[in-house]
Amino acid sequence: DKLKEEGLYNNTMIIFTTDNGMMHGAHGLAGKWYPFQESIRVPLIIYDPRMPKEKVGTLDDSFTLNIDLAETILGAAGIKPDELMQGRDISDLYLPNEKDEHHATASVEVEPWREDFFYEFPHDNERFIASSTALVTKEWKFINWPAYNREQLFNLEKDPLESNDLYNDTSVKPIMDKLRERHDKLKGI
């Protein structure tokens, strides 16, 4: 209300998000450093006065990451992000074909949005908290536990709670191999 009173509402982007989630016993775990959905998914709500009316109030299931927030804020301020930044301006998902001197990327009409992402939690004390990496797609999640020489595979569409590890299911071996290859490429192996 204060932004409206001050005449700033239609010139102000508002972003609501939170820290990643605590496990609270899911998968028999506690803490917030595991590669499971309960820990890595966070809410994100954006009010952007530039957003077309048909997009206001809609849900978008595109993979947005915390590394996208800085580029989004810079884009809204008309500041071009540093070329070393790894995120992407989230407004690319809702603004039509915006690419100019202030935007490092273009709308999804021009440059498709990411279809997967690499997750990494490195830790020095493997006895206390295990390091993990993962490749996440809409349908699949491949997890690597390097200290334990252990991998896991979950079909997120059929098993969103990640209860059924498909690592030993030979029928999905080609999928596992493809995901492992992509995982290793993103990790830089």
Side-chain angles (χ1 to χ4, degrees), residues 85-104:
M85 294 177 78
Q86 296 179 358
R88 183 165 175 188
D89 187 338
I90 296 169
S91 72
D92 292 347
L93 292 168
Y94 56 82
L95 292 179
N97 200 13
E98 292 276 328
K99 185 167 187 175
D100 56 34
E101 68 275 5
H102 302 298
H103 293 85

Side-chain angles (χ1 to χ4, degrees), residues 5 8 13 19 42 56 84 98 115 131 183:
E5 288 175 24
L8 299 171
M13 174 183 274
D19 193 7
V42 297
V56 173
L84 296 177
E98 292 276 328
E115 295 181 12
S131 295
H183 167 275

Side-chain angles (χ1 to χ4, degrees), residues 80-185:
K80 186 173 182 176
D82 187 279
E83 61 187 36
L84 296 177
M85 294 177 78
Q86 296 179 358
R88 183 165 175 188
D89 187 338
I90 296 169
S91 72
D92 292 347
L93 292 168
Y94 56 82
L95 292 179
N97 200 13
E98 292 276 328
K99 185 167 187 175
D100 56 34
E101 68 275 5
H102 302 298
H103 293 85
T105 56
S107 76
V108 292
E109 299 165 3
V110 178
E111 294 179 23
W113 196 258
R114 69 177 64 90
E115 295 181 12
D116 59 18
F117 69 91
F118 178 77
Y119 165 91
E120 181 173 33
F121 180 80
H123 199 269
D124 293 336
N125 187 347
E126 295 291 339
R127 289 179 41 156
F128 179 63
I129 301 172
S131 295
S132 59
T133 58
L135 177 72
V136 183
T137 71
K138 296 285 184 194
E139 186 176 3
W140 298 97
K141 183 184 291 177
F142 169 80
I143 300 173
N144 181 29
W145 303 92
Y148 302 110
N149 196 27
R150 171 108 166 87
E151 296 176 334
Q152 292 182 290
L153 179 68
F154 297 98
N155 183 322
L156 297 176
E157 288 181 350
K158 295 178 180 174
D159 180 23
L161 298 178
E162 300 163 292
S163 302
N164 184 23
D165 183 0
L166 299 172
Y167 176 78
N168 292 316
D169 184 338
T170 57
S171 70
V172 295
K173 184 179 180 336
I175 294 167
M176 175 87 124
D177 292 343
K178 182 180 175 185
L179 292 168
R180 184 184 298 111
E181 181 180 339
R182 175 73 174 148
H183 167 275
D184 292 351
K185 179 181 178 185

Side-chain angles (χ1 to χ4, degrees), residues 24-116:
H24 291 297
H27 301 273
L29 301 169
K32 61 181 192 172
W33 40 79
Y34 296 103
F36 298 109
Q37 296 296 84
E38 297 90 344
S39 181
I40 65 174
R41 292 184 52 112
V42 297
L44 176 64
I45 301 170
I46 296 177
Y47 165 77
D48 186 341
R50 304 170 300 162
M51 188 179 290
K53 289 190 187 320
E54 65 272 8
K55 294 281 191 171
V56 173
T58 62
L59 296 177
D60 189 319
D61 68 349
S62 299
F63 286 132
T64 56
L65 306 173
N66 59 355
I67 60 173
D68 298 326
L69 294 175
E71 291 208 25
T72 302
I73 294 166
L74 290 172
I79 301 169
K80 186 173 182 176
D82 187 279
E83 61 187 36
L84 296 177
M85 294 177 78
Q86 296 179 358
R88 183 165 175 188
D89 187 338
I90 296 169
S91 72
D92 292 347
L93 292 168
Y94 56 82
L95 292 179
N97 200 13
E98 292 276 328
K99 185 167 187 175
D100 56 34
E101 68 275 5
H102 302 298
H103 293 85
T105 56
S107 76
V108 292
E109 299 165 3
V110 178
E111 294 179 23
W113 196 258
R114 69 177 64 90
E115 295 181 12
D116 59 18

